[in-house]
Amino acid sequence: MSQQSGIGHDQWKSRFGFMLAAMGSAVGLGNIWRFSYVAGESGGATFLLIYLAFVLLIGIPLLLTEFSIGKAGKMDAVGSFKKLAPNTKWHLTGIMGVIGGILILSFYSVVSGWSLFYLYQYITGSFWTEPDGGFGAAFDAWITNPIAPLFWQALFLIVTIVIVRRGIGAGIEKANNVLMPALALLMIFMAGYGLTLDGASEGLAFLFSPDWSKFGDPNVYLMALGQAFFSLSIGICGMLTYSSYLKDKDKLPAATVGVGLLDTLFAVIAGIMVFTAVFSFGVEPQSGPPLVFIILPSIFESMPAGGVIGIIFFVLLTMAALSSALSLLELPVAYIHRTLGFTRKAATVIAGSIIFVLGIAASLGFGIWSHIQVNGNNILDIMDNITANVILPLGGLLMAIFVGWYLTREKAVQFSEIETPILQVIWLAIIRFIAPIVLLIIMITSLLGM
Ligand code: TRP
């Protein structure tokens, strides 16, 4: 069955497998590492509320839009557009997607490498007690080291490559069937544990009672939008690529809502887990990207059996990162495999190597290349900002216009597989008017503010 057809497409074995893989793509470092620090910096509950509104109003409808293009096109990010809109420039959306995917995985694999290294430190017991100088100094020494992080980043990418090389059903689907249920169990355990801590209520208040004065800050909207796109994996055709491997009989709308809600639930549970801990130990929630690498280890250290909790947490973080990295790698692999005539296995190694090389820059940006900065942002921050706050919303906007305006209304509805007439009308109104307008306003405001 792993025999490829002319366009190089194998298929998900089941719709459930597809759903798990799409959920695996969505749930990742974005829900735990990125969500915690962005929410922490952008005011907690205010951010959460705007984020939830964006997920429901724009994110889930756009996820369906992306799935529709892939399922109807049945090809990679670029090929699907070429097939549905021959002799137009629409396929550039797919090219931008492939580039975006390569960029995201470049820095994503750096942070995933940190997570793998932390896991190793917990397994060997090194981080069970505070290292000399504290966890902050240990983290700094670690990320500024020019060599060691590259080793862990490479190791993480190798695992990702080994799985993606095996293909959709035998590689990605099989891995997610194990990763996702395990992830769900670990996460619920961790959040439940967080709720038992003293001071949990303060963390919950930070996360759930909004500060109304912060609703006027345009930056919070941009951050919430970028986070919604990043977390749902939309805007660069990664979900499009996954849906292209669906069988005709597997319907889209239920899967879309399932993925959207589960991803959001995971973000909220991760928020509970992180902020209950942060507040019960009196730490500042605005600690930025190192939040889960500095704060959580100090918290684990002061807990009974904290070392075991540390192992569980970093297993969870690494598995979540891996299931997302699979989708980020599959995106360029599908494209390279079809267009450049490489076998799937070769395409995986080629894409993985390009990503590793770019990722080296993101990693060194913390140490020997830390002088390379734009507005106080290092290379990793720049890659993250450009992708999450520019490429993803732009890709989402283009796909909304493609399905909403370029395709006929009948085709759009048919591809979306929405059956209820009222839902068809709502979805069309969102992708034709609401999403483009909101996206344009936010993107323009942020450009003017820059
Ligand atoms: N959604 C993942 C996370 O939250 C990251 C990710 C995977 C992604 N695939 C993507 C982001 C495609 C944007 C586009 O960690």
Side-chain angles (χ1 to χ4, degrees):
M1 278 309 285
S2 63
Q3 202 54 33
Q4 313 267 320
S5 68
I7 52 169
H9 260 48
D10 59 15
Q11 286 184 327
W12 302 110
K13 295 196 190 97
S14 71
R15 186 176 86 133
F16 185 65
F18 160 72
M19 278 186 71
L20 282 189
M23 287 168 178
S25 167
V27 175
L29 293 176
N31 301 61
I32 305 171
W33 165 74
R34 200 174 188 282
F35 177 85
S36 317
Y37 90 76
V38 175
E41 282 176 343
S42 313
T46 314
F47 171 87
L48 182 63
L49 213 64
I50 301 175
Y51 166 80
L52 290 179
F54 281 154
V55 167
L56 290 177
L57 190 70
I58 300 182
I60 292 181
L62 282 188
L63 178 59
L64 180 57
T65 309
E66 203 171 315
F67 277 158
S68 310
I69 303 173
K71 192 174 175 205
K74 286 209 175 42
M75 288 170 87
D76 58 276
V78 180
S80 290
F81 282 101
K82 286 207 166 151
K83 187 140 128 215
L84 299 178
N87 306 317
T88 65
K89 296 265 177 275
W90 280 105
H91 67 277
L92 293 178
T93 313
I95 304 251
M96 183 174 82
V98 170
I99 296 172
I102 290 175
L103 276 177
I104 294 184
L105 189 52
S106 302
F107 74 80
Y108 206 85
S109 56
V110 173
V111 181
S112 307
W114 299 349
S115 176
L116 202 54
F117 169 74
Y118 269 59
L119 173 59
Y120 174 73
Q121 296 300 89
Y122 273 99
I123 290 176
T124 59
S126 314
F127 278 2
W128 288 44
T129 50
E130 184 136 26
D132 292 338
F135 281 107
F139 179 72
D140 273 348
W142 158 247
I143 58 171
T144 51
N145 181 325
I147 304 294
L150 299 182
F151 167 79
W152 292 91
Q153 175 198 349
L155 192 63
F156 177 83
L157 273 175
I158 289 170
V159 175
T160 312
I161 290 171
V162 165
I163 297 173
V164 172
R165 269 179 94 226
R166 302 176 58 106
I168 299 302
I172 297 177
E173 183 168 354
K174 226 169 152 185
N176 276 297
N177 283 345
V178 179
L179 291 173
M180 290 311 291
L183 197 61
L185 285 178
L186 287 179
M187 188 94 157
I188 291 168
F189 170 78
M190 287 293 292
Y193 186 77
L195 288 174
T196 64
L197 300 173
D198 308 332
S201 59
E202 246 181 292
L204 295 180
F206 177 76
L207 205 54
F208 296 112
S209 34
D211 171 355
W212 300 101
S213 69
K214 292 231 171 85
F215 281 96
D217 178 358
N219 201 39
V220 175
Y221 291 83
L222 179 68
M223 298 304 281
L225 184 76
Q227 177 60 22
F229 273 67
F230 190 90
S231 192
L232 290 172
S233 298
I234 51 180
I236 52 168
C237 312
M239 289 300 207
L240 182 162
T241 307
Y242 266 13
S243 66
S244 73
Y245 303 113
L246 270 170
K247 297 181 181 130
D248 285 336
K249 66 175 174 36
D250 296 328
K251 296 287 174 257
L252 292 175
T256 310
V257 174
V259 172
L261 294 184
L262 192 98
D263 180 60
T264 310
L265 187 70
F266 263 75
V268 173
I269 295 179
I272 295 176
M273 165 177 102
V274 173
F275 290 111
T276 47
V278 161
F279 279 88
S280 46
F281 288 84
V283 184
E284 277 297 298
Q286 295 93 334
S287 314
L291 193 66
V292 305
F293 292 99
I294 297 177
I295 313 286
L296 290 184
S298 345
I299 294 171
F300 297 155
E301 199 230 4
S302 44
M303 287 174 169
V308 177
I309 299 289
I311 296 180
I312 295 177
F313 177 79
F314 284 102
V315 167
L316 189 150
L317 195 65
T318 310
M319 291 200 318
L322 179 61
S323 60
S324 300
L326 297 176
S327 74
L328 286 163
L329 184 58
E330 177 59 28
L331 165 64
V333 164
Y335 172 67
I336 293 174
H337 170 49
R338 181 184 60 87
T339 54
L340 303 183
F342 291 105
T343 60
R344 183 185 170 86
K345 290 187 164 43
T348 314
V349 175
I350 293 169
S353 310
I354 297 173
I355 287 163
F356 177 66
V357 171
L358 287 173
I360 292 177
S363 181
L364 296 184
F366 286 91
I368 55 176
W369 285 356
S370 59
H371 55 281
I372 305 177
Q373 293 209 343
V374 178
N375 296 331
N377 289 321
N378 67 20
I379 300 175
L380 187 144
D381 296 332
I382 298 169
M383 285 173 149
D384 178 313
N385 279 332
I386 292 180
T387 48
N389 298 345
V390 181
I391 297 186
L392 299 184
L394 186 60
L397 176 68
L398 289 172
M399 284 190 256
I401 296 175
F402 178 74
V403 174
W405 296 100
Y406 176 81
L407 296 181
T408 60
R409 196 192 153 101
E410 290 67 39
K411 274 237 165 83
V413 169
Q414 181 203 333
F415 290 170
S416 77
E417 302 175 340
I418 306 178
E419 276 162 11
T420 323
I422 177 78
L423 291 180
Q424 295 172 348
V425 173
I426 295 175
W427 178 69
L428 277 173
I430 290 176
I431 65 163
R432 299 183 111 187
F433 302 103
I434 301 177
I437 292 172
V438 173
L439 288 173
L440 277 174
I441 293 178
I442 294 181
M443 281 166 27
I444 292 172
T445 331
S446 71
L447 276 181
L448 294 180
M450 257 156 57

